[in-house]
Structures are given as C-alpha cells and as structure tokens.
Amino acid sequence: MRMPFLALAFFLAAGSQSIAAQPAEQIAESPSRLLAEDVRVAIVAGDAQAWHDLIKWDGVDDITRAAIDRMTESVLGRAVESVAIEPLDAANYEPYEFKGVRYVLNGEPKGQVTVNFVPEPPLSQDSFTMAFGVEDGRAVILLARPDGQ
C-alpha cells in the first residue's frame, strides 16, 4: 500500500531496475548510484539529518515540508529490501493543483529512486518512489513546490 500523500510529494511506485542489475560501468560513482546508497544508509541508520541533506528544499512550502516530515518519521529506521534507480516516468510528475495552488517539481528530473522495505506488518507502507535531479554533479531528491517560486 502506498502513502496517502504521494501526489503531494511527487511519489510514485513503478516497475524498477535494480542497481545490482545494471552493468557496473554504468553505475560506478554515478550521482544516481551514490544517491541510492545514501538513501539506503540514511533510512536504515534512522539518520534524519542525512535524509534531509539528500533533498532539494528550494521553494518547498509548509504543506510539502510537513508531508515530507511525516514520511520521514514513518520510514527512518526501517529495514530496506532494495533501492532502485529507474528511468523517469514523466507522466507521473506533471504539475498538479492542491488547495488552489499549482505545484511543480523544484528541479529538472533525471530519474526516480524507489525504496522497497522489508515487509513489517501491520505497517502499510511497503515502498515509495521520488524523482531526483542532478545539480553540481550531485543527485538530489526533488519535491513539489508552488509554481512560480
């Protein structure tokens, strides 16, 4: 089951291509490969600061920030089954409107990262997906921001 605020934070669960399934020469030291490992480490370690440092916060409003804070509380410290870097499914990151505000991603998306958790009933969230971009040679998780900011 997916998190209830997926659209707000531009999350999406989709088919994945595991990092392990990619040829080593394609992922060695690539920003997306490093992001996948950093995401895994931050979640498993329960390190909120490391997790927040992976996110691009530019232009993010209080609504999105609160949604990410709730998501952070629910995933940090969980056992991660896999982290996959996937091609961007652009149709799932189209601008949308929420409470009269038009939201767009706060950067240029290059792909998406999906985290799959080891099932832990009765927890309902088994995975999440977020878009990422690359800025200054570093992959960052992108969030929704009000258009025009």
Side-chain angles (χ1 to χ4, degrees):
M1 176 175 270
R2 306 289 175 235
M3 298 173 63
F5 57 89
L6 296 184
L8 176 62
F10 281 119
F11 296 38
L12 166 74
S16 66
Q17 176 183 3
S18 170
I19 291 173
Q22 297 177 13
E25 63 273 8
Q26 289 181 1
I27 62 169
E29 300 308 314
S30 72
S32 59
R33 186 245 166 265
L34 295 174
L35 175 65
E37 181 60 15
D38 290 345
V39 164
R40 187 192 66 74
V41 168
I43 290 173
V44 171
D47 189 337
Q49 187 60 53
W51 169 250
H52 280 262
D53 290 348
L54 299 172
I55 298 171
K56 179 178 178 180
W57 294 98
D58 297 359
V60 173
D61 64 4
D62 291 341
I63 293 171
T64 301
R65 188 172 296 274
I68 295 301
D69 287 346
R70 285 190 305 274
M71 188 271 299
T72 298
E73 290 175 14
S74 72
V75 302
L76 289 185
R78 299 252 334 252
V80 172
E81 186 173 89
S82 66
V83 179
I85 297 297
E86 306 162 342
L88 183 73
D89 186 348
N92 292 299
Y93 297 98
E94 294 291 324
Y96 67 93
E97 189 170 311
F98 180 73
K99 293 188 177 184
V101 177
R102 178 181 158 94
Y103 285 85
V104 297
L105 284 175
N106 66 347
E108 182 181 344
K110 298 294 184 188
Q112 54 194 41
V113 58
T114 295
V115 176
N116 294 296
F117 297 105
V118 173
E120 296 178 15
L123 298 175
S124 61
Q125 181 186 351
D126 57 5
S127 68
F128 69 84
T129 300
M130 300 176 82
F132 72 87
V134 177
E135 297 185 359
D136 299 322
R138 178 178 174 256
V140 292
I141 293 171
L142 302 176
L143 298 178
R145 66 159 174 80
D147 198 9
Q149 288 192 354

